[in-house]
Amino acid sequence: TPEQVDQMRDSQGGVCAICFKALVRDGKLGEHIDHCHESGHIRGLLCSRCNVGLGSFADSHEALRRAADYLERFSS
């Protein structure tokens, strides 16, 4: 419900659960309700970029860890 979304937003301090940037309530770049594609369980609110990022890795913990390791190997 809209009230549940408001509660999630408030519990997250109005920011994305991953990158901590302020959530925008509407528009193409607005907040997204993130959920597990297997169980349907709601996890939290994400910004558009983080939502697309998770989707690109198909919710794979292993792939995300490899991506983080890759970035760390090539960081200055």
Side-chain angles (χ1 to χ4, degrees):
T1 67
E3 293 79 24
Q4 289 171 310
V5 173
D6 288 341
Q7 287 175 341
M8 275 194 294
R9 189 182 311 102
D10 290 345
S11 73
Q12 291 180 205
V15 298
C16 172
I18 294 176
C19 71
F20 304 129
K21 290 186 180 175
L23 291 167
V24 178
R25 290 186 182 197
D26 42 41
K28 186 176 180 181
L29 298 176
E31 66 192 13
H32 295 266
I33 300 171
D34 179 49
H35 68 284
C36 173
H37 290 127
E38 284 186 30
S39 69
H41 176 75
I42 302 295
R43 297 185 283 216
L45 296 176
L46 301 178
C47 69
S48 181
R49 282 190 128 157
C50 290
N51 187 57
V52 169
L54 283 185
S56 295
F57 285 96
D59 289 352
S60 168
H61 304 123
E62 294 82 11
L64 284 164
R65 284 187 189 98
R66 286 191 304 269
D69 290 344
Y70 173 84
L71 289 174
E72 288 173 0
R73 275 197 314 268
F74 294 100
S75 67
S76 305

